[in-house]
Amino acid sequence: MSRSSVIAPFQTERHDHSSCRRDALARAEDICLRKGLRLTELRRRVLELVWSGHEPVRAYDLLDQLRGERRGAAPPTVYRALDFLQEHGFVHKIESLNAYVGCAEPADRHGGQFLICRRCKAVAELDDPAIHDTVQRRAEASGFLVQGQVIEVTGLCPRCAADPAAPQPHAHEH
Amino acid sequence: MSRSSVIAPFQTERHDHSSCRRDALARAEDICLRKGLRLTELRRRVLELVWSGHEPVRAYDLLDQLRGERRGAAPPTVYRALDFLQEHGFVHKIESLNAYVGCAEPADRHGGQFLICRRCKAVAELDDPAIHDTVQRRAEASGFLVQGQVIEVTGLCPRCAADPAAPQPHAHEH
DNA sequence: GTCGGTGATGTTATGGTATAACCACAACAG
DNA sequence: CTGTTGTGGTTATACCATAACATCACCGAC
Ligand SMILES: [Zn+2]
Ligand SMILES: [Zn+2]
Ligand SMILES: [Zn+2]
Ligand SMILES: [Zn+2]
């Protein structure tokens, strides 16, 4: 058996998410220290907010939260922090949702493959070589030079598929 | 040899694009006739505009063109037409560009797999079973119930990869 | 020390994408 | 004729993202 390609699996309803968040921040701090990157207070806080759950977070939701904490927060505030975090692999953008999720394995650069639950909104991240290589090979078969892959699969996570009536612990409030 | 999985290949610099456009419109008219769908003047015109080239077209570019032809054109005008065309498979949305391309094989419903040239902006569409099945299998291996796939590959088309200095026949004017 | 460069953030404004809500009207079935 | 449905007009607003310039902290050169 090779290692699982699931690098951020769907979570059980009552997992200890504070440890997810803590681990992600610790990893980011470690990587920035080793690479000489500046994980400033703002960038650290935005990463922490993105890790408030396993659902993609929208930029203006982040902005609303920042406005409650920081004088003068504006769209560029959050987009610049997100740019930094994306550039160094700490968060991914979900193109089909215009929203952002934390990456659980930022150490190695990867495009990311995402399973997005339509019902509970949770996202799991794969880094499956079979998917990556198949896409790469079939694109090259058309003479195309591949530089990046966007792979976003929508559907139902195991829990929502099993019990469509179950509560949705992570659903956004509106 | 099985049939090629490329359903909308990259075009040569000087292909007869008016026949691409004409064929796409004829196919759409035929399908709508057989399915009892109403390809109205507006919808037909939007489809024609989307087929102005092989590059994704933005909704507000369509709107600008409609405004020159039609009194009272507004965002809902174009988005409603695009909704119809997407729903019935005549156009696809490129999520990573927020733009729309015509589909050359609208007969069978498919998510579409897109090769997007960063340089000339042209898009080729694949409908590769190997990609589709690999994504399906690997997602199911995580217990995920797949409902839709977004596959968008960015890079360089054969012509741009071969000659990075060549002119870009389809580039948008600004 | 202070000068100047660099990178991060503040600040204002704008551009780009998409939908809500309500209205008018045509086509059609009962 | 009348109610229903589908299409598009119209107005307004929400949501997503960047441009451009100002300010400030930091740090090394001198
Ligand atoms: Zn968690
Ligand atoms: Zn779910
Ligand atoms: Zn063509
Ligand atoms: Zn190209």
Side-chain angles (χ1 to χ4, degrees):
Chain A
M1 291 277 302
S2 63
R3 72 168 175 85
S4 167
S5 65
V6 182
I7 67 177
F10 287 109
Q11 301 293 329
T12 58
E13 184 162 352
R14 295 252 170 270
H15 76 287
D16 178 16
H17 183 64
S18 62
S19 82
C20 295
R21 195 189 313 118
R22 188 167 6 89
D23 290 354
L25 289 170
R27 249 185 298 255
E29 275 166 359
D30 181 54
I31 290 167
C32 287
L33 199 63
R34 285 191 286 104
K35 290 194 185 172
L37 304 174
R38 296 174 58 185
L39 187 63
T40 62
E41 184 56 32
L42 172 65
R43 292 165 175 174
R44 191 185 190 285
R45 180 59 180 145
V46 169
L47 181 57
E48 190 175 15
L49 290 171
V50 169
W51 273 102
S52 61
H54 293 272
E55 303 79 46
V57 178
R58 294 169 298 171
Y60 276 67
D61 285 347
L62 295 171
L63 178 55
D64 287 344
Q65 297 184 260
L66 286 180
R67 280 197 216 273
E69 309 171 353
R70 175 179 282 260
R71 174 196 83 99
T77 311
V78 62
Y79 281 107
R80 286 193 285 230
L82 287 171
D83 285 347
F84 170 86
L85 295 170
Q86 281 183 266
E87 186 176 350
H88 300 289
F90 301 123
V91 306
H92 295 288
K93 180 177 182 183
I94 306 297
E95 297 288 352
S96 56
L97 297 175
N98 293 321
Y100 303 82
V101 288
C103 178
E105 292 287 349
D108 36 58
R109 302 288 271 109
H110 55 278
Q113 303 154 353
F114 301 96
L115 307 180
I116 306 164
C117 181
R118 283 208 158 107
R119 186 160 171 281
C120 72
K121 312 305 181 195
V123 169
E125 181 175 354
L126 307 182
D127 192 18
D128 192 316
I131 294 176
H132 180 275
D133 293 352
T134 301
V135 170
Q136 178 88 21
R137 265 187 293 106
R138 301 305 298 152
E140 282 173 351
S142 300
F144 191 81
L145 175 62
V146 176
Q147 295 177 339
Q149 299 183 4
V150 173
I151 313 282
E152 296 174 4
V153 182
T154 56
L156 293 176
C157 74
R159 191 152 44 84
C160 290
D163 184 0
Q168 301 181 33
H170 290 286
H172 288 287
E173 313 288 338
H174 287 295
Chain B
M1 290 280 299
S2 63
R3 72 171 175 83
S4 167
S5 66
V6 182
I7 67 178
F10 287 108
Q11 301 291 330
T12 58
E13 183 159 352
R14 294 251 171 268
H15 75 288
D16 177 16
H17 184 64
S18 62
S19 81
C20 295
R21 195 189 314 117
R22 188 167 7 89
D23 291 352
L25 289 170
R27 247 186 299 258
E29 274 166 1
D30 181 53
I31 289 168
C32 287
L33 199 63
R34 287 191 286 104
K35 291 192 185 175
L37 303 174
R38 296 175 56 185
L39 188 63
T40 62
E41 184 56 32
L42 173 65
R43 290 165 176 176
R44 190 185 191 286
R45 180 60 180 144
V46 169
L47 181 58
E48 192 176 14
L49 290 172
V50 168
W51 273 102
S52 61
H54 293 272
E55 304 79 44
V57 178
R58 292 169 298 170
Y60 277 67
D61 286 347
L62 296 170
L63 178 56
D64 287 344
Q65 296 184 261
L66 287 180
R67 280 197 216 272
E69 309 171 353
R70 176 178 282 260
R71 173 197 83 100
T77 310
V78 61
Y79 281 106
R80 285 193 285 229
L82 287 172
D83 285 346
F84 170 86
L85 296 170
Q86 280 183 267
E87 186 177 349
H88 300 290
F90 302 121
V91 306
H92 295 286
K93 180 176 183 183
I94 307 297
E95 297 287 352
S96 55
L97 298 175
N98 293 321
Y100 303 82
V101 288
C103 178
E105 292 287 350
D108 36 56
R109 302 289 271 107
H110 55 277
Q113 302 152 355
F114 302 95
L115 307 182
I116 307 165
C117 182
R118 283 210 158 105
R119 185 162 170 281
C120 70
K121 312 304 181 196
V123 169
E125 180 175 355
L126 307 182
D127 191 18
D128 193 313
I131 294 176
H132 180 275
D133 294 351
T134 300
V135 170
Q136 178 87 22
R137 264 186 294 104
R138 300 307 297 151
E140 282 173 351
S142 300
F144 192 81
L145 176 62
V146 176
Q147 294 176 338
Q149 298 184 5
V150 173
I151 313 282
E152 296 174 5
V153 183
T154 56
L156 294 176
C157 74
R159 189 151 45 85
C160 289
D163 184 0
Q168 302 179 33
H170 290 286
H172 289 285
E173 314 288 337
H174 287 295

